[in-house]
Each structure stands twice: as C-alpha cells, then as structure tokens.
Amino acid sequence: MFAGGLILALTLMGFSVWLFHSEKVGWPNDELNDPIDQDYLSRRTRSRRRVNSLFFLCGLMILAATWATPENQTWWISCWMSAMLVLLTILVLASFDVLRTLLHHRNRIDRMRRRERQAGS
C-alpha cells in the first residue's frame, strides 16, 4: 500500500510539473497570432495553471495519506477524500477547457471563412 501511494503521488506531481513546463514552452503546431487568439491563449494558460496546481496538490494529499497509514484513520480518510474531490474538480475544469477550446476553434473557422469570402468577392 505504501509503495503504491508513493508511486501514485510522485506520478501526479511529476505529471503536473511536465504539463506546466509544456504549457510554458508551447505545443507543436500551436500558431495563435491573432489578437483574439491571444485573449484565448491567456485564458487557457490561466485555467491550465490552476489545473496543474490542483494535480500537484492532489499528489501532495496522496503523499500525506500514504505516510499517515490507515492506523491514523481520520487523517488518512480526509486526505483520500480530499484527493478524490480535487480530481473531480479537475474533471469539471477540464470540461470547461474543452468547451472553451471548441468555441474558440469554431469562431476561428468562421472568421477564416468570412475572410476567404471577402477575398473572393
């Protein structure tokens, strides 16, 4: 149980650090040069920074629960329940991020179509 909790905690914390680094460096084929794209990019960065922080926090709570062991039941249960609630919060925030990205791409495609129509006329 101890080794599994340790592996899970370190994996979550490492994953959050990797995501934070990838967001800072940028993703391949990520060409967002339009001013509207910059607004979307700033909102996306803020939102993903929150999610990455929550991943790290969840890893810390799992690490605390791993060291607490089931003998200290109150601390153990509260850490695991908090980790579960944080993971559910991450799912909700990720769903909002998916919706925001979907709407941004739809608006971006509409703008490109309008530009093509205007250029063709």
Side-chain angles (χ1 to χ4, degrees):
M1 180 89 173
F2 182 79
L6 198 60
I7 289 170
L8 182 61
L10 293 177
T11 301
L12 276 174
M13 291 183 342
F15 182 65
S16 72
V17 169
W18 176 76
L19 283 174
F20 181 76
H21 174 72
S22 296
E23 191 66 32
K24 275 244 188 251
V25 172
W27 297 92
N29 303 323
D30 212 8
E31 297 177 19
L32 300 169
N33 303 327
D34 202 12
I36 295 173
D37 292 335
Q38 294 304 318
D39 179 49
Y40 160 74
L41 188 61
S42 68
R43 287 186 292 139
R44 182 184 81 174
T45 302
R46 248 190 342 264
S47 172
R48 290 186 180 176
R49 190 179 313 126
R50 282 187 208 118
V51 168
N52 296 341
S53 300
L54 287 174
F55 267 124
F56 196 84
L57 176 67
C58 187
L60 287 176
M61 285 188 284
I62 291 173
L63 193 61
T66 300
W67 260 295
T69 67
E71 286 82 34
N72 188 356
Q73 286 185 351
T74 306
W75 185 249
W76 187 77
I77 289 172
S78 64
C79 283
W80 278 110
M81 292 299 289
S82 298
M84 180 197 65
L85 290 174
V86 167
L87 288 173
L88 287 174
T89 304
I90 289 171
L91 284 175
V92 170
L93 291 175
S95 299
F96 287 141
D97 187 41
V98 167
L99 182 62
R100 180 186 315 112
T101 301
L102 180 68
L103 292 173
H104 172 74
H105 283 289
R106 187 173 59 178
N107 290 338
R108 190 175 185 189
I109 289 171
D110 287 343
R111 281 188 314 223
M112 288 178 2
R113 285 181 182 157
R114 274 187 252 131
R115 271 190 245 145
E116 288 296 321
R117 281 189 212 132
Q118 289 173 354
S121 298

